[in-house]
């Protein structure tokens, strides 16, 4: 029997029992749709969380020293460690902003214009960044993340030109950046360091930290060790209970996030795969029923010259056709379900609570789709093999006598 004949016979069998076939493949459809939807959604959330850290997050290094690092120390450190592409002081301060009946916690980040790229605050969505001249003069300008702009004004364009009260004064929003980790009720503003100093003063002091951006393809673990040793040598710091130096990279946090989301995706995929097992059992049950109902047909085929191999191939083709149909429907439904869940998550504020911002874009992997589709075909072959072999082993004479 040719492959074309097998396919035609399999499709004819499905068409003859549409209702039963649809119910039989329901488990396959649910399993494949669940796997596609969950893995795509988790991948989208993972990408959103990583993007919220900034484009250069994996190359960022936070440097702490029990003896405060000065501007001259930082310049010297950059010369001593050539792998450092940018380095500078970032000031942080907190305040509260009230508008109407809503209150927001504001984290003001003092970042000069030449360090915006290093902290991942340079990718504009709307407006502009502030200039070096504005940084030096302490102009009251600020950048806000897309998530913060959406919380306050509904969209990015409406945020431009608006003013926000920060501590002892106001700053004007001149740009909206992509990324950021604003959650519901909290905002992050980026402004020049001189602006932070002028707004907060001594009553609300800022907390300076040193941030460095490593060059591309730098070994971050080795770089952190090098920075620590250079800072200790510069400041004459001995490692003990009261004096310490640390350099930590965001790469380790990103690796931990990727590892966690990968494990979570694997668990969810395993749970969803239970539906595939149930669907496979349903396939076997239907095929056994088909064999019983078509005993006389099998006898006629054997009498006309069909071999046991032909009978096995025929029933395997039918079970595979069921699973292929279920796989195609599952991929389509999974795709639609992933987008629906993504829109729900963005609209309900779940993203903000997780620390991400913006709209989730499901991450559809061709490899995942092909794997899920291959699994559905494999289920058709595995769970259809026993009924197919049982049909092939029937005695043709007894089959012809069967009423």
């Amino acid at each position: 029997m040719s492959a074309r004949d097998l396919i035609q016979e399999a499709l004819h069998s499905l068409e003859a029992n549409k209702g039963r076939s649809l119910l039989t493949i329901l488990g396959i459809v649910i399993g494949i749709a669940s796997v596609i939807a969950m893995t795509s959604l988790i991948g989208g959330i993972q990408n959103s969380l990583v993007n919220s850290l900034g484009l250069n997050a994996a190359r960022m290094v936070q440097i702490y020293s029990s003896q405060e690092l000065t501007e001259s120390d930082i310049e010297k450190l950059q010369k001593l460690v050539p792998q450092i592409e940018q380095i500078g002081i970032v000031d942080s301060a907190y305040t509260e902003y009230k508008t109407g009946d809503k209150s927001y916690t504001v984290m003001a980040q003092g970042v000069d214009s030449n360090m915006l790229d290093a902290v991942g605050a340079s990718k504009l969505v709307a407006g502009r960044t502030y200039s070096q001249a504005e940084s030096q003069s302490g102009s009251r300008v600020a950048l806000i993340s897309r998530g913060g702009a959406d919380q306050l004004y509904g969209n990015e364009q409406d945020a431009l030109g608006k003013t926000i009260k920060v501590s002892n004064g106001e700053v004007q929003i001149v740009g909206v950046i992509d990324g950021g980790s604003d959650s519901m009720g909290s905002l992050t503003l980026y402004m020049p360091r001189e602006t932070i100093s002028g707004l907060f003063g001594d009553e609300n002091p800022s907390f300076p930290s040193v941030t460095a951006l490593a060059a591309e393809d730098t070994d971050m673990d080795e770089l952190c060790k090098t920075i620590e040793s250079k800072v200790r040598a510069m400041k004459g710091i001995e490692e003990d209970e009261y004096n310490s130096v640390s350099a930590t990279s965001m790469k380790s946090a990103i690796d931990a996030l990727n590892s966690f989301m990968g494990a979570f995706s694997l668990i969810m995929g395993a749970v969803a795969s239970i539906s595939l097992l149930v669907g496979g059992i349903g396939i076997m049950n239907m095929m056994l029923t088909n064999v019983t109902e078509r005993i006389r047909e099998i006898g006629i085929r054997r009498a006309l010259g069909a071999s046991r191999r032909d009978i096995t191939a025929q029933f395997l083709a039918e079970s595979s056709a069921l699973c292929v149909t279920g796989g195609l429907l599952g991929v389509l439904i999974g795709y639609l379900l992933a987008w629906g869940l993504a829109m729900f998550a963005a609209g309900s504020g779940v993203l903000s609570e997780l620390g991400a911002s913006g709209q989730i874009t499901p991450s559809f992997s061709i490899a995942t789709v092909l794997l899920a589709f291959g699994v559905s075909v494999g289920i058709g072959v595995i769970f259809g093999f026993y009924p197919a072999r049982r049909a092939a082993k029937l005695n043709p004479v007894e089959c012809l006598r069967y009423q």
Side-chain angles (χ1 to χ4, degrees):
M1 185 179 289
S2 67
R4 182 179 178 181
D5 292 335
L6 283 174
I7 294 174
Q8 287 180 342
E9 286 290 339
L11 294 178
H12 176 72
S13 176
L14 287 177
E15 188 178 358
N17 300 282
K18 294 178 183 178
R20 186 165 64 180
S21 298
L22 183 60
L23 291 174
T24 301
I25 64 174
L26 195 57
I28 302 295
V29 173
I30 293 173
I32 295 295
S34 299
V35 170
I36 297 295
M38 288 297 101
T39 55
S40 300
L41 187 63
I42 291 170
I45 293 174
Q46 179 179 347
N47 292 338
S48 182
L49 290 171
V50 172
N51 290 338
S52 71
L53 298 175
L55 294 175
N56 297 319
R59 296 194 288 143
M60 286 173 57
V61 179
Q62 297 294 331
I63 304 169
Y64 167 80
S65 171
S66 56
Q67 296 184 25
E68 188 174 332
L69 294 174
T70 63
E71 295 282 359
S72 60
D73 290 332
I74 291 172
E75 291 177 4
K76 185 177 179 181
L77 182 61
Q78 187 166 19
K79 293 178 181 178
L80 290 172
V81 185
Q83 295 94 334
I84 295 178
E85 191 173 286
Q86 291 177 328
I87 187 171
I89 296 174
V90 176
D91 292 335
S92 300
Y94 296 86
T95 187
E96 189 177 27
Y97 172 62
K98 293 183 178 179
T99 174
D101 59 347
K102 294 184 178 180
S103 179
Y104 298 90
T105 300
V106 178
M107 182 173 75
Q109 295 270 48
V111 184
D112 288 337
S113 61
N114 63 332
M115 283 292 293
L116 287 172
D117 190 51
V119 297
S122 61
K123 187 178 180 182
L124 281 171
V125 175
R128 64 177 181 86
T129 59
Y130 44 82
S131 64
Q132 185 64 20
E134 288 174 318
S135 293
Q136 293 173 350
S137 64
S139 297
R140 295 195 171 184
V141 293
L143 306 176
I144 190 171
S145 71
R146 174 186 285 175
D150 289 343
Q151 283 190 71
L152 290 179
Y153 309 108
N155 61 70
E156 297 83 19
Q157 292 296 332
D158 287 347
L160 299 178
K162 298 294 193 302
T163 58
I164 294 180
K165 188 177 186 305
V166 179
S167 189
N168 298 321
E170 293 182 338
V171 292
Q172 183 182 47
I173 298 174
V174 296
V176 180
I177 60 171
D178 194 15
S181 56
D182 296 334
S183 58
M184 295 298 291
S186 69
L187 308 168
T188 302
L189 296 176
Y190 295 89
M191 60 191 73
R193 289 184 60 212
E194 286 293 328
T195 305
I196 286 273
S197 179
L199 288 172
F200 286 86
D202 296 331
E203 294 183 1
N204 298 293
S206 61
F207 305 94
S209 63
V210 178
T211 300
L213 180 67
E216 293 280 0
D217 302 322
T218 299
D219 186 329
M220 299 303 295
D221 293 333
E222 192 63 33
L223 176 62
C224 289
K225 293 178 182 178
T226 302
I227 290 174
E228 289 177 359
S229 65
K230 296 297 183 183
V231 171
R232 286 198 190 95
M234 279 194 317
K235 307 296 286 186
I237 298 175
E238 295 291 337
E239 188 66 33
D240 57 39
E241 184 179 355
Y242 303 101
N243 296 288
S244 63
V245 175
S246 67
T248 56
S249 73
M250 290 296 292
K251 183 178 181 298
S252 57
I254 293 174
D255 289 343
L257 172 64
N258 289 336
S259 177
F260 170 76
M261 296 302 286
F264 186 61
S265 178
L266 184 62
I267 292 171
M268 294 301 295
V271 172
S273 296
I274 295 175
S275 294
L276 292 175
L277 178 62
V278 174
I281 294 173
I283 295 289
M284 180 182 287
N285 182 60
M286 179 184 173
M287 295 308 300
L288 286 172
T289 303
N290 279 350
V291 170
T292 302
E293 292 178 348
R294 296 162 63 186
I295 287 179
R296 189 168 180 83
E297 176 192 330
I298 294 169
I300 293 173
R301 288 180 181 274
R302 290 297 307 278
L304 292 175
S307 65
R308 288 186 174 181
R309 183 175 181 179
D310 292 331
I311 300 298
T312 301
Q314 177 189 346
F315 281 91
L316 278 179
E318 291 179 14
S319 63
S320 297
L322 284 170
C323 290
V324 167
T325 304
L328 290 173
L329 289 173
V331 169
L332 177 61
I333 294 173
Y335 178 85
L336 298 175
L337 184 60
W339 275 107
L341 291 173
M343 294 173 65
F344 171 77
S348 63
V350 173
L351 259 185
S352 299
E353 295 300 326
L354 288 173
S357 61
Q359 175 73 42
I360 299 177
T361 301
S363 177
F364 294 101
S365 168
I366 297 298
T368 302
V369 173
L370 292 177
L371 178 61
F373 192 72
V375 168
S376 66
V377 175
I379 287 174
V381 174
I382 293 171
F383 286 89
F385 183 76
Y386 172 70
R389 290 301 297 166
R390 182 176 177 179
K393 290 181 179 180
L394 290 174
N395 188 309
V397 176
E398 294 297 329
C399 291
L400 291 172
R401 291 176 179 173
Y402 186 81
Q403 299 294 328

